[in-house]
Amino acid sequence: MADWEQIYSEKSVADATPAEVLKDNMHLLPVSGVALDYACGLAGNAQLLARQGLTVTAWDKSGVAVEKINQFAATQALKLDAEIKDLEQDYQGLSGQYDVICVSYFLHRPSMTKLYDLLAPGGLLFYQTFSGSQRNSVGPSREAFRLHRGELLQTFSDMELLFYREDPQVVEPRNAYSDQVLFVAKK
């Protein structure tokens, strides 16, 4: 199991990058609103969302990451507030809070359906993570941390699909996302 406190202590928030699903579909973002970077890591998604004019909350279990994000956001004058959250718990009272939720490279199936409840009507869900079996030592090796093919389509079948891409193992072209799924849907 990864020691995320140690990993984040050695990295810079300034070097964090947003998920491809978010970068490639920025045209779908609202001009204002409230966003959530769920399992934010060092907040690459949150930074992009805040720079697009959204007010952003970033959740992660790592206290090191949260502290670094909040310090960085203050120096950059970003509307970004990071909070320590155990993402495997229930979030009572937060229903319909977010216009945008972004999840990248995180999977906890029991809480996945709660994302729908956190979205406001018309809210957008951007999701990117690994799917299928691990190949070439990329992504998690445990199948519990990888989506099954088509799983997001089934889990969020009540949502309006705006973008979907699921690449099986590929070597070329370079713009392929080997064994990953990229998903955008509207509540």
Side-chain angles (χ1 to χ4, degrees):
M1 191 89 141
D3 179 357
W4 292 108
E5 299 293 346
Q6 180 65 35
I7 291 168
Y8 294 141
S9 71
E10 297 170 359
K11 295 188 177 201
S12 170
V13 174
D15 295 333
T17 57
E20 288 83 2
V21 71
L22 186 57
K23 290 190 302 187
D24 293 349
N25 292 285
M26 285 176 42
H27 63 281
L28 297 173
L29 290 172
V31 294
S32 64
V34 181
L36 173 64
D37 187 354
Y38 189 87
C40 65
L42 290 175
N45 296 323
Q47 291 177 57
L48 183 146
L49 293 166
R51 287 189 171 105
Q52 293 300 309
L54 299 168
T55 301
V56 184
T57 300
W59 288 351
D60 203 280
K61 196 173 184 175
S62 168
V64 170
V66 165
E67 183 178 334
K68 283 183 157 193
I69 293 163
N70 285 331
Q71 289 173 353
F72 180 81
T75 65
Q76 299 292 309
L78 295 174
K79 290 187 212 172
L80 167 56
D81 180 45
E83 301 173 7
I84 297 173
K85 286 274 191 205
D86 182 348
L87 301 175
E88 297 177 7
Q89 300 301 313
D90 193 17
Y91 312 114
Q92 293 179 346
L94 295 178
S95 227
Q97 295 276 318
Y98 299 100
D99 301 302
V100 175
I101 297 177
C102 190
V103 184
S104 57
Y105 304 110
F106 178 81
L107 177 60
H108 178 254
R109 283 181 176 86
S111 63
M112 209 163 62
T113 56
K114 294 176 186 171
L115 297 171
Y116 181 87
D117 296 333
L118 291 170
L119 280 170
L124 300 172
L125 174 62
F126 293 77
Y127 206 125
Q128 179 174 347
T129 197
F130 295 99
S131 64
S133 299
Q134 184 198 48
R135 300 176 192 168
N136 303 324
S137 300
V138 176
S141 59
R142 291 182 46 201
E143 297 225 0
F145 298 119
R146 300 179 77 95
L147 289 167
H148 305 293
R149 300 278 181 214
E151 186 172 356
L152 288 179
L153 294 173
Q154 291 176 329
T155 301
F156 298 108
S157 62
D158 289 347
M159 296 180 74
E160 177 186 349
L161 185 63
L162 302 177
F163 178 84
Y164 184 77
R165 179 172 179 173
E166 189 162 8
D167 290 343
Q169 181 184 16
V170 291
V171 178
E172 291 293 331
R174 289 186 179 213
N175 65 349
Y177 303 109
S178 187
D179 295 319
Q180 293 186 49
V181 59
L182 289 77
F183 173 92
V184 183
K186 182 177 180 179
K187 182 173 180 180

